[in-house]
Amino acid sequence: MQSFIQYSPTKVIFGRDTQYQTAAAIKEFGGSKVFVVYGGGSVVRSGLLDLILTNLEENGLEYRVKGGVKPNPRLSFAREAVEESIAFGTDFVLGVGGGSVLDTAKAIAHGTANPGTDIWKFWSKELSIEKSLPIGAVLTIPAAGSETSDSAVLTNTDTGRKCGTSTDLNRPKFAIMNPELTFTLPKYQIGCGICDIMMHTLDRYFTPTKGNQLTDEIAEGLLRTVIANGRIAVKEPDNYDAMSEIMWAGSLSHNGLTGLGAEKDFAVHQLGHELSAMFDVAHGATLTTVWDAWAHYVYREDPARFAQYARNVWSITIEDDEQAALEGIKVTVDYFRSLDMPVKFSDLDVGVQTEAVLEKLADSCSYNRTRQIGSFKKCSRDDILEIYKMANC
Ligand code: NZQ
Ligand code: ZN
């Protein structure tokens, strides 16, 4: 086990009707002028936004509302919201929605606390984030884990780059998590969320670090739980118990717990971000599109690790490590398919790509050959290209 710091300060307020505790939670963390941000309208249609605004009013909190965050949230929208937030005099930012809304809330908090600074400099890593405003989350989709994570992901459509920035200042002060708020999710988004949660765990589980038993067991248990409840949730989107398990797993999959004491990999996330940046595909779907190719490309680095995954997560009993590893990859991909998730390029609306497009993806993912991705196998630009080629069928 490697040395680690575990810091997950977000107060989780979980269960039925917890959305009524929003104003009290904001006050607890010193908010009085609240900038409320939401997405394309699901929270308007469900009545959640109205309910939250009434809750703020009844508790004497001033607010300003901005809707319109798109999936794969845009830098341009966040910049615009920062200006409005500064003009309002915001002292607390509340996101009501999914990962895209929460990541935008984080960007607004950083921008408001640093007037005159272009927020993209925090994402391009030209500047580090030294101060921000407190952020709160009312979560409506179990997926990205942004409600407790230290990261935020934005897309810069001018440069075609989608990237994240990590800091403890990204960790929300509180997260309101009522599984009932997810009952309106379309099946596709449930599938995307389940696979994203699995991938936050797998992108940590496939690590070169050895001898990390407790973290491994936590990760394997989380994966088994999500897989089993995912099967139920796609058939019964209003199954409270299944959605509860998935929602809680979503937070734990990305607050650091499932990778403590180990080097992270996250190559699959990096490969996927390029597909979102180029084709505006939903995040979870980008991950399943490349995972099969990535797994087949890297498993020989340590077949025993993939065999452990196959045995402990999927109950595969094959004794030979290589065969068990391959079976584990196969059943994982079958599971993605069972959720109607894409597992190769031709499953996406954009279809099979030309070699030139794959080269462009590989250049961008490797920052024009200036970085490698992953740790289980460190992947160079040429490795990245090979993985995209394998997925391009
Ligand atoms: O915009 P609205 O109308 O709300 O609709 C959304 C959106 O179309 C819809 N939705 C959300 N809750 C709903 C609902 N529809 C009906 N009923 C509900 N209860 O779902 C769609 C997707 O929403 P989005 O917020 O984009 O989904 P998700 O939570 O998967 O977030 C994805 C974003 O998070 C980033 C991804 O890259 C992507 O940009 N990530 C953020 C991370 C972080 N901050 O730690 C880590 C992740 O790995 C990920 O990269
Ligand atoms: Zn993710």
Side-chain angles (χ1 to χ4, degrees):
M1 192 187 289
Q2 293 183 348
S3 307
F4 64 83
I5 294 173
Q6 161 65 344
Y7 181 66
S8 186
T10 305
K11 179 171 185 172
V12 173
I13 304 170
F14 193 101
R16 294 185 205 269
D17 292 334
T18 45
Q19 62 272 30
Y20 292 99
Q21 298 179 45
T22 307
I26 292 170
K27 283 181 164 178
E28 182 184 338
F29 291 101
S32 61
K33 297 193 77 165
V34 187
F35 197 86
V36 181
V37 60
Y38 68 93
S42 70
V43 299
V44 176
R45 291 189 293 278
S46 68
L48 176 64
L49 184 67
D50 266 356
L51 187 154
I52 300 273
L53 298 181
T54 304
N55 182 247
L56 300 191
E57 269 164 36
E58 285 175 355
N59 286 275
L61 293 172
E62 271 186 75
Y63 60 79
R64 182 68 49 91
V65 185
K66 184 155 180 80
V69 175
K70 291 189 172 132
N72 296 321
R74 311 297 196 269
L75 168 67
S76 53
F77 179 94
R79 279 184 178 142
E80 194 183 293
V82 165
E83 294 310 313
E84 292 175 29
S85 169
I86 291 171
F88 173 58
T90 301
D91 62 17
F92 195 100
V93 183
L94 180 73
V96 185
S100 297
V101 167
L102 302 185
D103 288 0
T104 304
K106 293 175 182 184
I108 296 168
H110 305 331
T112 309
N114 296 277
T117 303
D118 176 19
I119 52 170
W120 186 246
K121 291 193 170 157
F122 298 137
W123 270 260
S124 64
K125 315 291 186 313
E126 283 168 77
L127 291 176
S128 61
I129 306 169
E130 304 294 343
K131 59 180 172 173
S132 189
L133 292 184
I135 305 150
V138 180
L139 187 66
T140 63
I141 171 171
S146 181
E147 67 278 6
T148 57
S149 81
D150 72 346
S151 70
V153 186
L154 282 185
T155 298
N156 182 340
T157 46
D158 295 337
T159 60
R161 180 147 283 174
K162 177 177 180 177
C163 56
T165 187
S166 294
T167 161
D168 280 330
L169 293 170
N170 273 331
R171 299 209 190 253
K173 296 292 179 200
F174 67 82
I176 301 238
M177 293 164 57
N178 174 358
E180 290 173 321
L181 301 180
T182 70
F183 289 176
T184 48
L185 278 169
K187 186 183 171 199
Y188 179 64
Q189 290 298 342
I190 298 173
C192 284
I194 291 164
C195 296
D196 192 17
I197 293 167
M198 289 177 68
M199 221 57 85
H200 295 145
T201 313
L202 294 173
D203 267 353
R204 290 174 167 92
Y205 187 85
F206 290 110
T207 167
T209 308
K210 307 274 187 214
N212 208 6
Q213 187 183 348
L214 179 57
T215 295
D216 279 0
E217 302 250 10
I218 291 170
E220 290 159 359
L222 189 148
L223 286 162
R224 288 194 303 269
T225 304
V226 171
I227 291 162
N229 286 285
R231 286 194 180 104
I232 300 169
V234 288
K235 292 201 186 92
E236 302 168 35
D238 58 353
N239 185 309
Y240 184 84
D241 289 336
M243 277 303 192
S244 298
E245 299 293 344
I246 295 169
M247 200 173 211
W248 184 219
S251 293
L252 298 187
S253 76
H254 205 37
N255 73 352
L257 186 66
T258 56
L260 284 182
E263 200 177 341
K264 290 190 268 187
D265 183 88
F266 271 87
V268 174
H269 265 74
Q270 303 308 328
L271 293 161
H273 283 342
E274 297 307 324
L275 300 187
S276 281
M278 191 177 280
F279 305 119
D280 200 14
V281 177
H283 173 62
T286 67
L287 305 175
T288 54
T289 298
V290 296
W291 192 82
D292 190 20
W294 172 84
H296 277 100
Y297 193 75
V298 306
Y299 83 92
R300 283 193 191 85
E301 294 292 309
D302 186 359
R305 184 66 174 167
F306 269 83
Q308 179 184 333
Y309 163 69
R311 293 177 188 129
N312 294 355
V313 174
W314 295 99
S315 306
I316 283 163
T317 53
I318 300 170
E319 277 182 26
D320 176 73
D321 277 354
E322 171 129 7
Q323 291 311 312
L326 288 169
E327 186 62 17
I329 296 170
K330 181 185 171 299
V331 294
T332 305
V333 174
D334 287 346
Y335 181 73
F336 296 156
R337 279 205 193 91
S338 77
L339 303 177
D340 287 338
M341 284 292 108
V343 298
K344 51 189 178 344
F345 276 65
S346 59
D347 296 337
L348 295 173
D349 286 344
V350 295
V352 172
Q353 298 300 308
T354 63
E355 179 93 16
V357 169
L358 301 187
E359 301 261 355
K360 204 170 160 197
L361 287 168
D363 285 343
S364 182
C365 192
S366 64
Y367 294 175
N368 292 316
R369 299 178 186 268
T370 61
R371 72 158 179 173
Q372 296 186 323
I373 60 167
S375 65
F376 185 77
K377 174 177 173 61
K378 286 191 171 46
C379 294
S380 66
R381 185 262 185 201
D382 292 343
D383 295 315
I384 293 169
L385 181 61
E386 282 311 308
I387 295 169
Y388 282 134
K389 279 183 182 170
M390 287 165 68
N392 192 37
C393 52

